Amino acid sequence: MKILVCLSKSPDTTSKIAFKDNNTLFEDAGVQWIINPYDEWYALVRAIELKEKDVSTTIHLITVGNADCDAIIRKALAIGGDEAIRINVQNNDSYYIAAQIAEVAKQNNYDLILTGKESIDYNTSSIGGTIAELLDMPFISLATKLVIEGSNAIVTRDIEGGEETAEVSLPLVLSCAKGMAEQRIPNMRGIMAARTKPLKVLEPAAIETFTSVVNYEVKPAKTSVKLIAADNVAELARLLHEEVKAF
Amino acid sequence: MSVLIFADQADGIIKKASFEALSYGNKVAALLDTTAEALVLGNVTDNVVTLGKYGISKVHTITDISLNHLDTQVYASLIAEAAGKTGATVVVFSQNQTGKAIAARVAAKLKAGLVAGACALPDVSSGFVVKKTVFSGKAYANISINTPIKVISLNPNSFPVTVAEGNAEVSVLNINIPESKVKVTNINKIVGEIPLTEADIVVSGGRGLRGPENWGMIEALAQSLHAALACSRPVADANWRPHHEHVGQTGYQIAPNLYIAIGISGAIQHLAGVNRSKVIVVINTDPEAPFFKSADYGIVGDAFVVVPKLTEEINKLIEKNSH
Ligand SMILES: Cc1cc2nc3c(=O)[nH]c(=O)nc-3n(C[C@H](O)[C@H](O)[C@H](O)COP(=O)(O)OP(=O)(O)OC[C@H]3O[C@@H](n4cnc5c(N)ncnc54)[C@H](O)[C@@H]3O)c2cc1C
Ligand SMILES: Nc1ncnc2c1ncn2[C@@H]1O[C@H](COP(=O)(O)O)[C@@H](O)[C@H]1O
């Protein structure tokens, strides 16, 4: 089986979010880049588990981004990918990113393409669905469980207030959510092996963009909390009723 | 020209998030001086004529029962075709679980630019610019959509539902339904609980509550407010509460109108899941708890005293207002 795992880099959760150049660019000075957590914990680790069950499996990693991504790609290789591809371009348009990935996928006949459920910077949850559309494959979002049985996948996904399990034949695109797998720390052997694993850098295909960022705004801090004395709980109930209209 | 809003349903009932999307789509249509039309897939028990209340002039339906299951390939193909037939220049979704599954797919099919996670009406003064939340609610991006057709997926609980008088005209769309490649084998719904991701109000507990045996007062408060329950990650990890209640970076990301955090410190990974809530109330013994910085209302106090009292006061007010 051939698996493609889509990885994006994102600022560490604890990073300060700020913008530069008239609020048109993310301020990346001093930012610690990490693998987008959902890509790492769920998509990548599940792929590795599948490979551990069936050693003939190969895992390709793909990232659309500039050379800043190389460190996180090496980390993913250390956790367990076989080889990596980086499309050397910085772009925020989801369609553009997905189409770059689809171009690579078209030449490789992957059985399974895994993404995280969303990127923690752009939060669009849209790359997986777009790839699937461009490749005319089924797509299941927010998958929490994946079992492969021959040429079929049995996938459980989150639905409002519960979960749904479905059977679908490969090839398939999945966005992965909590439940899929558990985080893994790369070990020394993995880190050594990752140094010699191939990381191919490709130039982007000519693809149009559909959207562009005009600017960013930092969310204004809350105008200080309204504190209510602990012996005046009735006041909070009144505020919830009259100001918040909660009931 | 029209604005087409996808009205998502579950078990035959149009979802609340869809009413927000319908209200939003109606406002977008007004900005563009055109009509708002809705699309409903599958068999619904709701009378779709009543979607007129949200300013919808026409509701297009494809009632085939097979559509009660979401297959992104089938849905995208039907929605894109419906958009073509209705001459839609804007297609609106709710960024709920269904929207996350299909909005991008529809956009790709229509070669349309997508803003997923929108939180305000588009600015159409020059071009078409939509504001969305980014960085897990810590910032916004204004995104220009540069294609003739635009797709917007609206964050739940970020746009008010507006209701007026009126009925919608209903039109049955005649479109061939492609065969589904996804065979649903099992559905497991948690019964008797308000689904967390759909809830208007969420009452959430953290490690400050000391143990699962103390959740009775949390449940009582939630019951009075018709709220869903949530918890912090250590609480789920310790199996004090089920994992489907865990919110935060590694759990669910929610955006209710009201989030009440009890005995939760407000770590950044927790905030990543709840930052988009409209109003946050924090109850914590520690005045230095970081959560107070993100809160709208707060009580520095012992949950074991404050929470039962709060429930009692709320019940009193509810009782009083029912007379
Ligand atoms: C990679 C990563 C991902 C993570 N993802 C998540 C996530 O998704 N969700 C999540 O929640 N956490 C997540 N965490 C953990 C997070 O960093 C915090 O450790 C966690 O949120 C703390 O949970 P808590 O607030 O319940 O507990 P604590 O931090 O222990 O806070 C308990 C609070 O209760 C208060 N308290 C004590 N007694 C009382 C009382 N009687 N009445 C009122 N208040 C009282 C205390 O003052 C304190 O503020 C993640 C961490 C990492 C590293
Ligand atoms: N630049 C990128 N390169 C490769 N994969 C990406 C990129 N951006 C996003 N993805 C993948 O798409 C998923 C969803 O991202 P998004 O649609 O931005 O929320 C992420 O979890 C990644 O798996």
Side-chain angles (χ1 to χ4, degrees), chain B residues 1 28 31 33 41-42 91 103 121 175 198 211 227 247 278 289-290 316:
Chain B
M1 207 171 122
V28 176
L31 284 176
D33 210 6
L41 297 182
V91 182
L121 284 171
I175 300 180
E198 284 272 278
V247 291
K278 197 166 280 167
K316 265 197 233 162

Side-chain angles (χ1 to χ4, degrees), chain A residues 53-86:
Chain A
K53 268 195 158 172
D54 171 5
V55 289
S56 70
T57 299
T58 50
I59 303 173
H60 287 182
L61 313 177
I62 189 164
T63 297
V64 180
N66 58 21
D68 282 355
C69 301
D70 287 349
I72 66 123
I73 298 172
R74 286 283 171 214
K75 181 179 174 198
L77 287 170
I79 299 172
D82 292 314
E83 51 183 278
I85 300 157
R86 178 167 64 80

Side-chain angles (χ1 to χ4, degrees), chain A residues 12-13 37-38 41 178 183, chain B residues 205-210 217 231-235 237 240 246-253 259 261-273 283-291 299-307:
Chain A
D12 177 65
T13 346
Y38 310 121
W41 302 339
K178 184 185 168 191
Q183 183 176 12
Chain B
R207 202 147 56 176
L209 293 169
R210 295 204 285 261
M217 63 183 188
C231 67
S232 67
R233 170 161 146 177
V235 164
D237 282 350
W240 294 1
H246 160 198
V247 291
Q249 188 193 321
T250 40
Y252 284 109
Q253 289 83 47
Y259 182 76
I262 302 164
I264 305 175
S265 57
I268 195 141
Q269 297 89 354
H270 184 86
L271 292 177
I283 299 169
N284 197 306
T285 40
D286 177 7
E288 301 297 322
F291 222 144
I299 290 189
V300 179
D302 183 353
F304 292 89
V305 181
V306 172
V307 173

Side-chain angles (χ1 to χ4, degrees), chain A residues 228-247:
Chain A
I228 295 120
D231 57 7
N232 194 10
V233 176
E235 174 63 5
L236 179 59
R238 185 191 71 80
L239 290 167
L240 289 178
H241 177 53
E242 290 174 13
E243 283 185 6
V244 184
K245 303 202 175 354
F247 57 93

Side-chain angles (χ1 to χ4, degrees), chain A residues 209-226:
Chain A
T209 57
F210 292 166
T211 63
S212 48
V213 175
V214 178
N215 57 11
Y216 296 96
E217 298 166 30
V218 175
K219 189 174 173 177
K222 292 231 161 160
T223 48
S224 85
V225 49
K226 194 182 262 185

